[in-house]
Amino acid sequence: MKVAVVGATGLVGTKMLQVLEERNFPVTELIPVASAKSVGKEVTYKGKQYKVVSVEDAIKQKPDVALFSAGGSTSLEQAPLFAEAGVTVIDNSSAWRMDPTKKLVVPEVNADVLTADDKIIANPNCSTIQMVVALKPLHDQYKIKRVVVSTYQSVTGTGVKAVDQLFNERKGIEGPKAYPYQIDLNVLPHIDVFTENGYTKEEMKMILETKKIMGDNSIRVTATTVRIPVMGGHSESVNIEFENDFELNEVRDILTKAPGVVVVDDVANLKYPMPLDAHEKDDVFVGRIRRDETQPNTLNAWIVSDNLRKGAATNAVQIAEYLVAKNLIGQAVEA
Ligand SMILES: NC(=O)c1ccc[n+]([C@@H]2O[C@H](COP(=O)([O-])OP(=O)(O)OC[C@H]3O[C@@H](n4cnc5c(N)ncnc54)[C@H](OP(=O)(O)O)[C@@H]3O)[C@@H](O)[C@H]2O)c1
């Protein structure tokens, strides 16, 4: 596989290189791509240095697959050009997620929707990915009616500039700001831009993407997304109302057996998921599993995952792995 990584100098792109290497993805040629300012810089993959090229040069090299994490506007502009050249694009931005002609995929949930004709495949929002990995097996068993989620999201979800802001503030250094307010020692109930209904775009992503990935428009979701001065991953407090009743032990059992999920739920020994423990892991960690005692058939849980891994790079590479395993790359009739 000739693999282009578009956004290779960014937080997600760097993690993609790492994940491709760790999972031994069959890369025969690597094409790292970034903006004009980075062309000629070097990135490391499997101990070798690779020169960053422009998107135009990358298309000329006709990669088989391009993993995009270079922001929405770059994806909107560039992904169709790659697709027209016969490249399968797996895109991390929000540009294509709700396009009804594009698949939005979390392999543990809905990889089976993919076909060889899918030339631009959308990777969901990081907070949505970790939530649906845990929700899907429960939905299959008890049918979810409604989800109320509040997130506690890592600064790594905003990119390099946000991580720099946190550490600059910690050291008392002035520098560029990714957020409208101080993030160190603070909590911002604001992720992405506000929309007309008073929710943020991040909240609307969780609401809409969950229905699309789960393939069930009847699931009602409401979300409050919050940025906190943390690095290792996103955390979520999730309240889930089911159509059918459940036993807590059975819920734990279902989640323990679910692909991609690790249950960490032993409060007697103070065991519950935390971003520090999820950091650099590919799993979705679920704990604090308990009944909501205020209404029937309702569960509370706490879900944590490394947003740069399962929330971005790992999920994208897993999609690519699925396409390779099913022989779906390079098979499509070109548009
Ligand atoms: N961080 C997360 O948890 C997360 C999760 C899911 C999805 N995403 C999405 O992934 C994307 C990247 O996020 P990030 O956190 O990695 O951001 P980042 O650290 O700011 O990196 C952005 C990358 O995009 C490149 N880029 C910018 N403009 C470009 C252009 N015109 N052409 C080619 N490359 C360009 C940058 O290259 P230069 O270095 O040359 O500027 C850099 O490599 C965003 O769309 C984000 O929404 C992020």
Side-chain angles (χ1 to χ4, degrees):
M1 287 284 131
K2 261 194 191 179
V3 180
V5 176
V6 183
T9 52
L11 280 188
V12 176
T14 306
K15 194 57 70 184
M16 277 178 175
L17 295 175
Q18 193 184 330
V19 171
L20 286 167
E21 177 169 345
E22 280 170 14
R23 298 175 75 95
N24 221 7
F25 189 79
V27 180
T28 49
E29 203 178 320
L30 181 78
I31 309 167
V33 187
S35 77
K37 79 168 199 271
S38 302
V39 168
K41 275 189 189 166
E42 290 189 331
V43 297
T44 308
Y45 175 72
K46 289 202 169 174
K48 267 178 67 183
Q49 301 297 110
Y50 289 80
K51 278 214 160 44
V52 170
V53 301
S54 66
V55 274
E56 294 78 16
D57 281 348
I59 295 177
K60 282 186 205 143
Q61 293 181 48
K62 289 218 168 234
D64 297 292
V65 59
L67 305 176
F68 265 66
S69 61
S73 55
T74 307
S75 290
L76 274 179
E77 254 172 53
Q78 302 295 336
L81 303 181
F82 279 72
E84 277 161 27
V87 184
T88 301
V89 172
I90 302 171
D91 181 41
N92 258 286
S93 79
S94 57
W96 304 100
R97 290 179 190 151
M98 293 314 296
D99 181 328
T101 67
K102 306 288 181 288
K103 309 282 172 62
L104 182 65
V105 176
V106 176
E108 291 88 341
V109 179
N110 66 338
D112 57 347
V113 298
L114 289 169
T115 71
D117 290 329
D118 295 314
K119 285 308 210 181
I120 299 178
I121 300 161
N123 208 43
N125 164 264
C126 40
S127 316
T128 311
I129 293 178
Q130 68 182 66
M131 185 168 78
V132 296
V133 167
L135 290 187
K136 179 65 166 73
L138 300 176
H139 183 53
D140 289 346
Q141 185 73 15
Y142 308 114
K143 188 148 176 36
I144 295 173
K145 282 169 71 176
R146 180 170 184 254
V147 177
V148 183
V149 54
S150 300
T151 68
Y152 305 68
Q153 296 184 218
S154 150
V155 292
T156 57
T158 321
V160 174
K161 198 172 164 191
V163 175
D164 289 346
Q165 178 179 339
L166 174 62
F167 283 95
N168 283 340
E169 285 172 356
R170 216 155 260 197
K171 291 179 200 146
I173 299 169
E174 273 303 318
K177 304 276 183 219
Y179 303 115
Y181 298 103
Q182 176 177 323
I183 184 65
D184 190 27
L185 302 173
N186 205 4
V187 164
L188 310 181
H190 168 194
I191 298 184
D192 208 332
V193 297
F194 282 95
T195 61
E196 270 182 9
N197 64 0
Y199 284 75
T200 63
K201 251 183 153 178
E202 184 84 352
E203 288 159 355
M204 294 313 296
K205 287 176 207 164
M206 293 197 79
I207 293 166
L208 300 171
E209 291 180 24
T210 299
K211 294 169 192 266
K212 181 167 175 178
I213 303 161
M214 305 268 279
D216 189 340
N217 261 326
S218 73
I219 300 174
R220 290 177 296 147
V221 182
T222 187
T224 304
T225 58
V226 179
R227 187 73 65 193
I228 59 169
V230 153
M231 290 282 293
H234 294 346
S235 305
E236 298 172 348
S237 164
V238 187
N239 179 269
I240 315 155
E241 184 186 353
F242 299 104
E243 193 135 332
N244 304 305
D245 201 7
F246 55 83
E247 289 298 330
L248 280 178
N249 281 343
E250 193 184 46
V251 166
R252 287 197 187 91
D253 196 43
I254 289 169
L255 288 171
T256 301
K257 290 178 183 146
V261 176
V262 173
V263 173
V264 183
D265 193 28
D266 179 9
V267 289
N269 289 301
L270 308 186
K271 301 271 189 234
Y272 36 74
M274 294 184 289
L276 270 180
D277 296 332
H279 186 48
E280 289 299 347
K281 310 234 170 68
D282 286 322
D283 303 293
V284 170
F285 298 88
V286 185
R288 299 296 320 278
I289 298 166
R290 63 212 192 274
R291 203 171 264 286
D292 175 347
E293 294 177 340
T294 66
Q295 61 171 18
N297 305 353
T298 307
L299 186 79
N300 279 314
W302 177 249
I303 302 173
V304 180
S305 193
D306 185 328
N307 53 297
L308 291 178
R309 280 185 170 264
K310 185 57 189 165
T314 304
N315 198 69
V317 173
Q318 285 172 326
I319 293 172
E321 286 172 345
Y322 180 88
L323 296 171
V324 171
K326 300 283 177 188
N327 212 14
L328 298 177
I329 291 188
Q331 303 288 305
V333 179
E334 286 184 25

